[in-house]
Amino acid sequence: MPNFKKYRVLFSLILLFYIWFLFLKSSFIVNGNNKENIEKVIQSVDWYNKKDSIEIIKIIDSKNDRFVAFLYNNNPAYIHFTKNEFGNYEVTYKEFRSNESLSTFTVDVSLDRILVITNNLNQIAKLNLRVNRINQIEDEMKVGKPSALLLEIDHLPKSIDNSYEFQYQFFDENGKQIITKE
């Protein structure tokens, strides 16, 4: 007759290991849960080289989304994480721009969130955003320092043809308009 006690112990150990793995595996996975893991995720993206520099500017949490604004070789960039069913943040999108001291990123397909990232060369102190020629948001930025703003547009104005025109006006520290960007 087989020794069922040995099988019970073996089955219990396998079951215990499986449960332990399910609940603790998140600590072994590189995800967007903390700054150290975020840096590892950024370093793993296809356009990153080991000699390149990364400076995380701001981590912005909004509902189940996490937006990480950073500088990649002093170029504005961001990575978007979404919280999964286990509470871990997984990468859903990443983007960077070259040769810009200020960059705007539409970070939501519904067009109601825009991330503005600046590096230390930025000379723009104030931003005015218009959507379909209606003033929406006015916000201030740090001059000469890296910064990030998440602009949340409460209500996009209705348009006849379901299209949206975004117009940015940028001002210096004296309030003088520097640039208009569409």
Side-chain angles (χ1 to χ4, degrees):
M1 177 149 232
N3 190 349
F4 289 110
K5 196 173 189 178
K6 285 182 183 178
Y7 291 120
R8 238 188 251 156
V9 170
L10 183 62
F11 178 75
S12 297
L13 285 174
I14 291 171
L15 183 63
L16 184 65
F17 180 74
Y18 180 73
I19 292 170
W20 173 79
F21 179 75
L22 282 178
F23 289 105
L24 296 178
K25 74 178 183 179
S26 64
S27 63
F28 302 113
I29 298 172
V30 176
N31 52 35
N33 289 3
N34 57 47
K35 190 173 180 179
E36 181 183 321
N37 273 358
I38 291 169
E39 288 175 358
K40 287 179 184 176
V41 169
I42 293 169
Q43 291 170 354
S44 72
V45 298
D46 51 353
W47 36 264
Y48 179 77
N49 293 316
K50 294 289 182 213
K51 62 182 185 234
D52 297 334
S53 69
I54 293 173
E55 177 186 352
I56 293 179
I57 300 170
K58 194 172 195 178
I59 299 171
I60 304 164
D61 290 330
S62 176
K63 297 178 187 166
N64 286 328
D65 295 310
R66 175 168 281 174
F67 301 99
V68 179
F70 64 98
L71 296 178
Y72 169 71
N73 281 342
N74 207 36
N75 292 300
Y78 86 96
I79 191 163
H80 177 212
F81 296 91
T82 303
K83 191 181 281 190
N84 66 18
E85 66 272 9
F86 299 111
N88 294 317
Y89 286 97
E90 297 176 341
V91 176
T92 54
Y93 188 77
K94 57 202 175 292
E95 186 176 352
F96 83 100
R97 303 273 168 74
S98 296
N99 303 318
E100 294 181 359
S101 61
L102 180 143
S103 294
T104 58
F105 301 93
T106 304
V107 296
D108 201 340
V109 291
S110 62
L111 301 175
D112 62 352
R113 291 192 275 192
I114 296 169
L115 185 60
V116 180
I117 303 172
T118 67
N119 65 16
N120 57 343
L121 302 175
N122 174 48
Q123 295 302 309
I124 297 168
K126 189 169 138 186
L127 160 97
N128 182 318
L129 169 61
R130 292 177 170 201
V131 181
N132 291 349
R133 302 187 189 273
I134 298 172
N135 278 355
Q136 289 289 323
I137 296 175
E138 191 170 282
D139 213 331
E140 295 184 8
M141 294 177 289
K142 297 175 185 172
V143 174
K145 288 185 173 182
S147 66
L149 297 170
L150 182 63
L151 306 175
E152 298 200 40
I153 303 169
D154 292 332
H155 301 287
L156 285 171
K158 298 283 184 203
S159 71
I160 296 169
D161 60 355
N162 289 327
S163 66
Y164 295 97
E165 177 186 334
F166 291 87
Q167 182 183 38
Y168 301 91
Q169 295 174 320
F170 301 106
F171 302 88
D172 66 11
E173 289 178 298
N174 300 322
K176 181 182 174 192
Q177 186 173 344
I178 301 173
I179 248 175
T180 300
K181 176 180 170 185
E182 293 188 30

